[in-house]
Amino acid sequence: MKLVLLSGGSGKRLWPLSNDARSKQFLKVLNNSFNESESMVQRVWSQLKSVHLASSSLIATNGSQVEMIQNQIGNDVPLVIEPERRDTFPAIALAASYLFSVMNTNLNEVVAILPVDPYVERDFFSKVKDLEMLLHQSGANLALLGIQPTYPSEKYGYIVPEEEEGEWIQVSHFQEKPNVEQAEALLKKNALWNSGVFAFKLGYVLSLLEEKGFPIEYDQLLLHYSSLPKISFDYEVVEKESNIAALSYDGYWKDLGTWNTLTDEMGITQMGKGILHHDCVNTHLINELDIPVTVVGASNLIVAASPDGILVSDKEQSPKIKELVKQYEQQPRYEERSWGWYKVLDDTIGEDGQVVLTKRMKMNAESFWHEQLPPLRSEVWTVISGKGELIVNEELHYLEAGEVFEFPQGAASELHALTEMELIAVQKGKVRKVDGKLNLVATPDENAANFHSLKTAETL
Amino acid sequence: MKLVLLSGGSGKRLWPLSNDARSKQFLKVLNNSFNESESMVQRVWSQLKSVHLASSSLIATNGSQVEMIQNQIGNDVPLVIEPERRDTFPAIALAASYLFSVMNTNLNEVVAILPVDPYVERDFFSKVKDLEMLLHQSGANLALLGIQPTYPSEKYGYIVPEEEEGEWIQVSHFQEKPNVEQAEALLKKNALWNSGVFAFKLGYVLSLLEEKGFPIEYDQLLLHYSSLPKISFDYEVVEKESNIAALSYDGYWKDLGTWNTLTDEMGITQMGKGILHHDCVNTHLINELDIPVTVVGASNLIVAASPDGILVSDKEQSPKIKELVKQYEQQPRYEERSWGWYKVLDDTIGEDGQVVLTKRMKMNAESFWHEQLPPLRSEVWTVISGKGELIVNEELHYLEAGEVFEFPQGAASELHALTEMELIAVQKGKVRKVDGKLNLVATPDENAANFHSLKTAETL
C-alpha cells in the first residue's frame, strides 16, 4: 500500500499565523508528548512513522511548500510537486503517474489519499490500512473512510450507505453540508462524515487518465499539467463512480481549520511571550513576536500575534476573519526555508519608489544559502551570532558575530553557515511579487504598481 | 500670575503606549477640533494659549521629558528641570526659586500649580485665574481649586469645608479615598474633589524653604537638590497649613489616567492600521505598529499595540495592568526626541554577550542629530528617504535614499537632515541602561548583568 498526503491550500482562516507561505498544517501550535510544540504535518508524520506507514508515503504539494515541508519533517520524504496550483484531481493524477513511472509501483497496488492534516488518534491509520483489504474483498473501485458522526453537523459532507446491509458498507450517494433537519435524517440512515480519505488501485486512476486522453508517464503528464481540468477529485471521479465501498471509523477525528477548533487541541493556553491573566476564561494566547502581549479580563478569545498582524477575536466569531483579512492584500512577513527562517521587521517605501526591507534571518548550522542579487539592489548584513563562510563573486569572506558586510550590487553570493547563525539584513531595491513572496529586484522598468502591493492595508 | 505645570510620572497604567520615556500626558490619542490627534499636554497647552496664560507658564519636569515636551509644544516654553526625580515638594520648590532668581518674579506674585494633563473645558482655566483674587480677598496662604463631585467616588481625595459658611470656602481638612458611605457623607458636607490645582504667593513657599534651611537662589537649590526631602507638596505643606481657602469648579473635569477613562474621551474608536469589526461594541483599538490588528466579536475591550507590547484588556479591568506589566522590566522601544523619533524593530543578544539593536529612525527636516560613538560599537545606516549632511570625524558625507553608511568605531558624528529623513540603523555593542533608556556602549568591563535587563520577560 502507498499513501499520498495532499498538502495544499493556504488558508486565511488561521490569520495571522497562516499566510500564503505557511498554510495551517505547518503552524507549530500543537503540543507533542514531550511537551514540545509541533505542527499538524509533524504530528501526522510521527503518527505515520509509529504505524510504519511513513516509508510508503509521499507528499503531493506545490513549489511554495517544499522548503517548509523539508524543514519540518526532513529531506527523505518523496515529494510530488505540482508545477502550478490546480486542484485535487490533477494533483492526485500527477502523484499516480509518479508512483507508476518513477517508483515503478504495480498497477494492483492500493493507493490511499489523505489530507496532510487530520487531527486523529493513531488507530485512524490502522483503519486507513484496512482500506486495502476492503478494496480486495468488495471489488469496489473506490474505498472511503467515513467518520462515525457524533452530532448532526451542518459543516461536513456525508457518505450515505445503501439501505440493504451487506458484509461491508456499500455507498449509495453523497450529501454536502445539509441543514440540521437533513443531518438528523442522515444520521438515522447511518450516514458517515466524509473524512477526505479514500483508496483505489493504482491502475484505476491511470485508466481514467488514459480514457481522458492524458499521458500516464510522469514526465509527460508534468509537461501537460496545465491542460488537466481544474477540478476536485471528488467532482471528477468520486461522484461519477457507482461502485464505492466504505469503512466506518468511530475514534477521535477533528478538522482543525479554524481558531475555534484548533485552540481546543492546543493543550496549553499560552505560547510565546506575555501574560494571560488568570481572570481570563477560555482564552488562548499565541504570540510569535518578540514583544510581550498582556491579556486581562477577556474571556472566550483567541489572541494571536505574528509578523503578519495581530488578531483579537471571539472564538465563535473567528471564522469571520477569512473574509475580513482579504482586505489586507498582505505579503507573508515570516517564512521558513530549507536553510532556516526569516521575518520582516520593517518595510518602507522611500520617495524614490524603492523599498527598504529589514529582515532578521536565522540559518541552521551547516545550511547553505545562495542568491544572485539583481543589479542596483543593495544589501547589508550585520551578524548577530554564529560563524559562516560567505563566497561573493568567487571571493571568500569569513563572517562572525559583529561583522558588517555590504554586498556589491549584482553579486553572486553563497553562504555556508558553519554554526547556527542569526543576522539582520537590510535590503533596498524595487519589489516584485513572485509566487506570493517578497522579491526585491531593481531593473529600472519594474512597474511602480508592484511597490504598492507590498504595503499592507492603510487604516480603514 | 504665574503658572507652573507639573509634568512628572511615567505611569504603567497606559501600557503599552506609556513607558519610562513617554508618560501618559504625551500620548497622541485625543482628537482636536481639526480632527488631528493630539496629546494631553498639547491639549492643555492650546487651552492655556487661548486664555492667554501660556506666556505666564513654565513646566517643571525631569531630563528625560525635555525632548518630548519640545517636540510636542515647541522650544519657547521655559522648563525647570529637576536634576533627579524626587517628588512634588522639591519640584515646586525648585520652580519657585527659578521664578524668584531667574525670572525675577515679585514675592507677592501669585503662583498656581497645575498637573500638566487635566482633561477639562476651557473655563477651568478661568477658575484658575480666580485663585489669585481669592488669595488676596481671603488672606489665606493657599488657595485650592476643588471639583464639584458628580457622584460619591472612592478614587479621589476630598477637600472638606468648614461648617460655617462665609464669603468663600474655608478649608477644614482633607480626606483621601473614602469608601462609598464616607463619600456620601462628604457630599452632604459640600466637600469637593481635590483637583491637584492650588495657588500661593511666591514668598510663601520661599519662606518655607528658608525656615527649613534650604537656599532660595535657583543655582544654589539646584546644587542641594538631592538633600531636599523626597515628599509630596501635599504632605509637606498643604496638610500642615491651617489657613486654606478654596474655589469650587462645577464644569467638566476628568483624570485620564487609565484606559477606561481615556477611551471615553478619544472621540474615535480606532487609531492606526487594522479592522475593528462592526460586531464589536464599546471596544477601542489603538495601533502604533505597522502590521494590521483585526478585532472581531469582542466587546468592552481596549486593544493597544506599540513597539513595547500589545494589550488586550476588558476596560473595567484595565487598571490591573499597572501591576502586571511590572514583570516585563522593559526598556522603551519608542521614543520621541528633539530631532524626531526612533523605534526599536529588533533587539537580540549574540552569544558573545553583545546586543544588536535594529532601529527605524525619523529625522525632522532641518533637525540636528549628533552622537559620539563609543569605541568597539559598530553602526550601519541604510537611508530610506530624504537627504542630509553627515559629518563623521570632521569629514563631510552627503546622504540620500539608498545610501549605506558604516560608521567607523568611536566616531564623532553629526547629521544635519536637509529634508525629512528616514533610515534603518543597525547598532552592535554592549548595552548599558542610562536614565531608563537603551544605551549601547562597548567598554570591555561592562557588567554582563546589564545585557539581560534589556530583554523583556520570557514566556511566563
Side-chain angles (χ1 to χ4, degrees):
Chain A
M1 186 182 213
K2 297 288 184 189
L3 264 64
V4 175
L5 306 177
L6 299 179
S7 183
S10 63
K12 299 267 191 215
R13 288 187 301 168
L14 294 181
W15 186 92
L17 265 62
S18 65
N19 60 35
D20 286 342
R22 187 166 58 148
S23 300
K24 64 173 184 179
Q25 60 264 34
F26 301 114
L27 303 178
K28 292 188 184 173
V29 290
L30 303 174
N31 243 27
N32 70 13
S33 49
F34 305 105
N35 207 24
E36 298 159 340
S37 62
E38 66 177 5
S39 70
M40 304 180 204
V41 164
Q42 289 175 316
R43 180 183 150 93
V44 164
W45 195 249
S46 71
Q47 287 177 318
L48 287 174
K49 276 184 175 167
S50 71
V51 295
H52 310 290
L53 281 172
S55 58
S56 311
S57 300
L58 54 82
I59 299 181
T61 184
N62 55 64
S64 69
Q65 296 189 352
V66 171
E67 297 203 23
M68 186 74 90
I69 290 171
Q70 291 174 337
N71 205 12
Q72 292 205 348
I73 62 175
N75 295 319
D76 296 339
V77 52
L79 300 179
V80 181
I81 300 160
E82 307 165 83
E84 61 177 279
R85 286 194 192 196
R86 293 192 77 74
D87 207 325
T88 52
F89 172 69
I92 290 167
L94 190 67
S97 75
Y98 183 88
L99 285 168
F100 172 64
S101 57
V102 179
M103 299 182 79
N104 296 314
T105 305
N106 189 290
L107 292 179
N108 280 316
E109 179 90 41
V110 170
V111 180
I113 309 292
L114 290 82
V116 80
D117 57 357
Y119 189 84
V120 292
E121 300 300 331
R122 205 199 294 173
D123 58 352
F124 180 85
F125 298 100
S126 308
K127 279 281 178 185
V128 173
K129 281 183 180 170
D130 293 344
L131 292 178
E132 178 163 19
M133 195 179 314
L134 178 63
L135 272 180
H136 292 307
Q137 287 181 340
S138 66
N141 287 322
L142 283 169
L144 311 189
L145 188 54
I147 311 293
Q148 193 66 53
T150 50
Y151 68 101
S153 170
E154 299 171 286
K155 286 193 306 182
Y156 301 121
Y158 285 76
I159 300 167
V160 189
E162 296 283 0
E163 281 183 34
E164 308 104 62
E165 287 179 30
E167 284 179 62
W168 51 80
I169 299 169
Q170 190 72 27
V171 176
S172 161
H173 61 281
F174 297 91
Q175 184 162 350
E176 269 305 298
K177 298 181 183 170
N179 62 34
V180 176
E181 292 75 37
Q182 292 169 323
E184 280 167 351
L186 287 166
L187 262 53
K188 285 183 186 140
K189 291 182 186 169
N190 298 317
L192 303 169
W193 290 338
N194 193 345
S195 67
V197 175
F198 51 90
F200 47 76
K201 290 181 187 160
L202 180 57
Y204 172 72
V205 164
L206 295 179
S207 305
L208 284 178
L209 273 179
E210 279 184 324
E211 279 169 28
K212 292 171 197 287
F214 294 107
I216 60 169
E217 291 288 335
Y218 175 71
D219 291 347
Q220 288 300 309
L221 193 60
L222 210 50
L223 285 175
H224 290 84
Y225 197 75
S226 61
S227 65
L228 284 169
K230 207 168 188 171
I231 192 170
S232 75
F233 194 85
D234 273 1
Y235 284 136
E236 183 68 13
V237 180
V238 183
E239 301 217 335
K240 294 175 182 166
E241 175 58 60
S242 57
N243 189 7
I244 307 179
L247 276 184
S248 164
Y249 166 74
D250 64 357
Y252 201 83
W253 175 84
K254 211 161 170 185
D255 171 25
L256 305 188
T258 63
W259 282 117
N260 204 11
T261 51
L262 180 61
T263 50
D264 280 351
E265 305 300 340
M266 269 181 59
I268 51 175
T269 53
Q270 178 177 352
M271 297 183 77
K273 203 175 274 183
I275 297 171
L276 180 60
H277 192 50
H278 55 72
D279 65 2
C280 301
V281 179
N282 187 32
T283 286
H284 279 77
L285 166 61
I286 303 177
N287 179 16
E288 292 191 341
L289 297 175
D290 286 331
I291 56 175
V293 178
T294 310
V295 189
V296 182
S299 293
N300 304 311
L301 291 188
I302 169 67
V303 178
S306 86
D308 282 348
I310 300 159
L311 173 70
V312 177
S313 176
D314 178 75
K315 284 183 181 170
E316 290 288 336
Q317 304 299 320
S318 66
K320 287 182 185 171
I321 61 173
K322 185 182 173 183
E323 287 304 310
L324 287 176
V325 303
K326 279 182 183 167
Q327 301 175 35
Y328 294 143
E329 282 190 56
Q330 201 179 26
Q331 311 293 317
R333 291 171 71 99
Y334 173 85
E335 269 197 78
E336 288 178 35
R337 307 297 288 271
S338 62
W339 43 261
W341 55 256
Y342 78 82
K343 63 179 172 185
V344 176
L345 299 173
D346 186 80
D347 64 300
T348 312
I349 302 176
E351 79 262 32
D352 55 350
Q354 298 220 7
V355 171
V356 175
L357 266 184
T358 307
K359 293 177 178 174
R360 183 158 144 206
M361 294 167 70
K362 156 104 175 276
M363 277 88 171
N364 299 326
E366 289 303 329
S367 67
F368 288 88
W369 167 97
H370 54 87
E371 191 152 339
Q372 171 71 52
L373 264 65
L376 302 183
R377 168 172 141 190
S378 75
E379 176 152 356
V380 57
W381 285 4
T382 301
V383 182
I384 296 170
S385 61
K387 291 181 170 119
E389 289 172 343
L390 179 67
I391 300 170
V392 176
N393 292 338
E394 300 181 359
E395 197 175 312
L396 176 67
H397 304 264
Y398 189 73
L399 292 188
E400 60 183 358
E403 203 87 15
V404 175
F405 188 84
E406 190 177 346
F407 288 81
Q409 289 174 351
S413 309
E414 184 174 314
L415 175 76
H416 177 206
L418 300 173
T419 66
E420 196 175 278
M421 286 184 77
E422 286 202 72
L423 55 87
I424 301 291
V426 183
Q427 306 171 336
K428 186 160 203 306
K430 297 206 171 185
V431 79
R432 183 164 59 181
K433 187 176 172 181
V434 179
D435 208 10
K437 295 173 190 174
L438 299 174
N439 275 58
L440 279 180
V441 295
T443 48
D445 57 342
E446 279 300 308
N447 187 332
N450 285 332
F451 316 144
H452 301 297
S453 70
L454 180 71
K455 291 304 284 183
T456 52
E458 297 302 324
T459 308
L460 297 165
Chain B
M1 187 183 211
K2 297 289 184 187
L3 264 63
V4 176
L5 305 177
L6 299 179
S7 183
S10 62
K12 299 269 189 210
R13 288 188 301 169
L14 294 181
W15 185 93
L17 267 61
S18 64
N19 61 33
D20 285 342
R22 187 166 58 148
S23 300
K24 64 173 184 179
Q25 61 264 32
F26 300 115
L27 302 178
K28 292 188 183 172
V29 289
L30 302 173
N31 243 28
N32 70 13
S33 48
F34 304 106
N35 207 24
E36 298 161 340
S37 62
E38 66 176 5
S39 70
M40 303 179 205
V41 164
Q42 288 175 316
R43 180 183 150 95
V44 164
W45 194 249
S46 72
Q47 288 176 318
L48 287 174
K49 276 185 175 166
S50 70
V51 295
H52 310 290
L53 279 173
S55 58
S56 311
S57 299
L58 56 83
I59 298 180
T61 184
N62 55 65
S64 69
Q65 296 189 350
V66 171
E67 297 201 24
M68 186 74 90
I69 291 171
Q70 290 174 338
N71 206 11
Q72 293 205 347
I73 60 175
N75 296 318
D76 294 338
V77 52
L79 301 179
V80 181
I81 300 161
E82 306 166 82
E84 61 177 280
R85 286 195 191 196
R86 293 191 77 74
D87 207 325
T88 51
F89 172 69
I92 290 168
L94 190 67
S97 74
Y98 183 87
L99 285 168
F100 172 65
S101 57
V102 179
M103 299 182 80
N104 296 315
T105 305
N106 188 292
L107 293 179
N108 279 318
E109 179 89 41
V110 169
V111 180
I113 309 292
L114 289 83
V116 79
D117 56 357
Y119 190 84
V120 291
E121 302 298 332
R122 203 198 295 174
D123 58 353
F124 181 85
F125 298 99
S126 307
K127 279 282 178 186
V128 172
K129 280 184 181 169
D130 293 344
L131 292 177
E132 178 162 18
M133 197 179 312
L134 177 63
L135 272 180
H136 292 308
Q137 287 181 339
S138 67
N141 288 320
L142 283 169
L144 311 189
L145 188 55
I147 312 292
Q148 193 66 52
T150 50
Y151 69 102
S153 170
E154 299 170 285
K155 286 193 306 183
Y156 300 122
Y158 286 75
I159 300 167
V160 189
E162 295 282 359
E163 281 182 34
E164 307 105 63
E165 288 179 29
E167 284 179 61
W168 51 80
I169 299 169
Q170 190 72 29
V171 176
S172 161
H173 60 281
F174 298 92
Q175 184 160 352
E176 268 307 298
K177 299 180 181 169
N179 62 34
V180 175
E181 292 74 38
Q182 292 169 325
E184 280 167 351
L186 286 166
L187 262 55
K188 284 183 188 144
K189 290 182 187 168
N190 298 318
L192 303 169
W193 290 338
N194 193 345
S195 67
V197 175
F198 52 91
F200 47 77
K201 289 182 188 160
L202 179 58
Y204 172 72
V205 164
L206 295 179
S207 304
L208 283 177
L209 273 179
E210 280 185 322
E211 278 169 29
K212 291 170 198 289
F214 294 107
I216 59 168
E217 291 289 334
Y218 176 69
D219 291 348
Q220 287 300 310
L221 193 61
L222 210 50
L223 286 176
H224 290 85
Y225 198 74
S226 61
S227 65
L228 285 168
K230 206 167 188 172
I231 192 169
S232 74
F233 194 84
D234 273 2
Y235 283 135
E236 184 67 12
V237 180
V238 182
E239 301 217 337
K240 293 176 182 166
E241 176 59 59
S242 57
N243 189 7
I244 307 180
L247 276 183
S248 164
Y249 166 73
D250 64 358
Y252 201 82
W253 175 85
K254 212 162 169 184
D255 170 25
L256 305 187
T258 64
W259 282 116
N260 204 12
T261 50
L262 180 60
T263 50
D264 280 351
E265 306 299 340
M266 269 180 59
I268 51 176
T269 54
Q270 177 176 354
M271 297 182 77
K273 201 176 274 182
I275 297 171
L276 180 60
H277 192 49
H278 55 72
D279 65 2
C280 300
V281 179
N282 187 32
T283 285
H284 279 76
L285 166 61
I286 303 176
N287 179 16
E288 292 190 340
L289 297 175
D290 287 331
I291 57 176
V293 178
T294 310
V295 189
V296 182
S299 294
N300 303 311
L301 291 188
I302 167 70
V303 178
S306 86
D308 282 348
I310 299 158
L311 173 71
V312 178
S313 176
D314 178 76
K315 284 183 182 171
E316 290 288 336
Q317 304 300 320
S318 67
K320 286 182 184 171
I321 60 173
K322 184 182 174 184
E323 288 303 311
L324 287 175
V325 303
K326 279 181 182 167
Q327 301 175 35
Y328 294 143
E329 283 190 55
Q330 203 179 24
Q331 310 295 316
R333 291 170 71 98
Y334 172 85
E335 270 196 77
E336 288 178 34
R337 307 298 289 271
S338 61
W339 43 261
W341 54 257
Y342 77 83
K343 63 179 171 186
V344 176
L345 300 173
D346 186 80
D347 64 300
T348 312
I349 301 176
E351 80 263 32
D352 55 350
Q354 298 220 7
V355 172
V356 175
L357 266 184
T358 307
K359 293 177 178 173
R360 183 158 143 206
M361 294 168 69
K362 156 105 174 276
M363 278 88 172
N364 299 326
E366 290 301 331
S367 67
F368 287 88
W369 167 96
H370 56 87
E371 191 153 338
Q372 171 71 52
L373 264 65
L376 302 182
R377 167 173 142 190
S378 76
E379 176 151 356
V380 57
W381 284 4
T382 300
V383 181
I384 295 169
S385 61
K387 292 184 169 112
E389 289 171 344
L390 179 67
I391 299 171
V392 176
N393 292 338
E394 299 181 357
E395 197 175 312
L396 176 68
H397 303 264
Y398 189 71
L399 292 188
E400 59 183 358
E403 203 88 16
V404 175
F405 189 84
E406 190 178 346
F407 288 80
Q409 289 175 350
S413 308
E414 184 175 315
L415 175 77
H416 176 205
L418 299 173
T419 66
E420 196 175 278
M421 286 183 79
E422 285 202 72
L423 56 88
I424 300 290
V426 183
Q427 306 171 336
K428 186 161 201 308
K430 298 207 171 183
V431 77
R432 184 165 57 183
K433 188 176 170 180
V434 179
D435 208 9
K437 294 174 190 173
L438 299 174
N439 276 57
L440 278 181
V441 296
T443 48
D445 58 341
E446 280 298 309
N447 188 333
N450 285 333
F451 317 141
H452 301 296
S453 69
L454 179 71
K455 293 303 283 185
T456 52
E458 297 302 323
T459 308
L460 297 165

